[in-house]
Amino acid sequence: MEKISVLIADDHKLIRETWSYILNNDPRFIVVADCGDSEQAVELAKSKKPQIVLMDINMAPASGFEATERIRKLSPLSRIIGISMHSQPAYAKKMLQIGARGYVTKNSSKEEMIAAILEVHSGNKYICDEIKNNISELVLEENREMPNINALTDREIQIINLIKEGESSKEIASLLKISLKTVEVHRHNILKKLKLKNSASLVNFINNVATNI
């Protein structure tokens, strides 16, 4: 039986090595490459044409979302599974909207990851149990309004990550090589999209909701 070829893209070396070990020791799979940044992921997908790409959405220099869109164009037969610590349904929805075929959180078991790969390879979509459970909870909480994370741009997600790391607006402007005014505009747009009142609300959101955005 032909082995399913897999590309692993994750910025944590230990995670890459662990999944490479698990999959390469399963006769159904072969890891053709692994990488720690999104640019390498795109280039490897283009050259290796893997059947499955395990794509961490929290990548650099571009996000896993952007890398997914580029891989879909350069290697259209590669089927992508988004992977993240983030269990908010909005992230899974965004990945599927841009062409991924599955979404699995890093809390998922080895068995579930393998099930996701097999299901996606067969032409189906796969959403892990943790996301499904969260969707059920949202349905039950009728008055809960989920922040519109799906509306955030890659740049806005990048700025949220820098705020989470403790960077000031001035430091963010320097790191991203944009003006301080542009950073403040982005912060204003983030507050508006997430329906937050002020910067204190944004910090609270980052600490309690978007810990793995």
Side-chain angles (χ1 to χ4, degrees):
M1 182 178 70
E2 183 182 355
K3 294 186 177 184
I4 299 171
S5 57
V6 181
L7 165 63
I8 301 172
D10 193 291
D11 58 3
H12 290 89
K13 183 178 181 180
L14 181 60
I15 290 177
R16 297 197 308 273
E17 291 179 345
T18 299
W19 278 111
S20 292
Y21 177 82
I22 291 171
L23 295 177
N24 280 330
N25 280 279
D26 187 312
R28 294 169 292 183
F29 310 110
I30 180 170
V31 176
V32 294
D34 69 79
C35 61
D37 72 65
S38 53
E39 291 297 329
Q40 283 184 318
V42 172
E43 290 304 313
L44 286 169
K46 181 182 177 182
S47 61
K48 300 289 186 179
K49 297 289 190 297
Q51 293 167 298
I52 297 290
V53 178
L54 302 182
M55 174 63 68
D56 182 6
I57 68 171
N58 303 313
M59 296 283 281
S63 71
F65 296 113
E66 183 178 332
T68 294
E69 290 180 305
R70 291 170 63 189
I71 290 171
R72 291 287 299 130
K73 295 175 182 177
L74 296 171
S75 182
L77 296 181
S78 295
R79 291 169 176 163
I80 301 169
I81 298 174
I83 301 174
S84 177
M85 284 296 292
H86 205 347
S87 60
Q88 279 224 340
Y91 283 89
K93 180 180 178 182
K94 183 171 182 179
M95 280 298 284
L96 294 178
Q97 284 178 334
I98 61 177
R101 301 293 296 177
Y103 190 94
V104 176
T105 68
K106 292 184 180 180
N107 292 324
S108 301
S109 66
K110 175 185 75 173
E111 290 76 18
E112 185 163 38
M113 175 68 86
I114 289 174
I117 294 172
L118 293 173
E119 196 72 13
V120 169
H121 179 258
S122 297
N124 302 315
K125 292 183 179 180
Y126 189 93
I127 299 296
C128 70
D129 289 340
E130 185 176 14
I131 296 293
K132 290 178 181 177
N133 291 338
N134 286 347
I135 292 172
S136 298
E137 289 174 8
L138 289 172
V139 171
L140 291 172
E141 297 177 29
E142 296 178 353
N143 296 322
R144 176 175 174 178
E145 185 176 4
M146 189 169 62
N148 190 19
I149 297 173
N150 197 45
L152 295 174
T153 65
D154 287 339
R155 176 66 89 185
E156 288 163 353
I157 290 174
Q158 190 176 23
I159 287 173
I160 286 177
N161 274 316
L162 290 171
I163 294 172
K164 182 173 64 178
E165 292 171 8
E167 305 290 355
S168 67
S169 291
K170 185 176 180 180
E171 290 168 332
I172 291 172
S174 176
L175 287 167
L176 300 182
K177 295 181 173 55
I178 57 178
S179 70
L180 178 60
K181 183 177 180 180
T182 299
V183 174
E184 294 301 333
V185 169
H186 281 306
R187 291 184 68 136
H188 172 77
N189 290 337
I190 290 168
L191 291 175
K192 185 176 179 181
K193 290 178 180 180
L194 297 179
K195 296 181 172 63
L196 300 173
K197 294 180 180 179
N198 49 42
S199 294
S201 298
L202 176 59
V203 171
N204 183 61
F205 172 82
I206 291 170
N207 290 334
N208 296 290
V209 180
T211 53
N212 291 289
I213 192 169

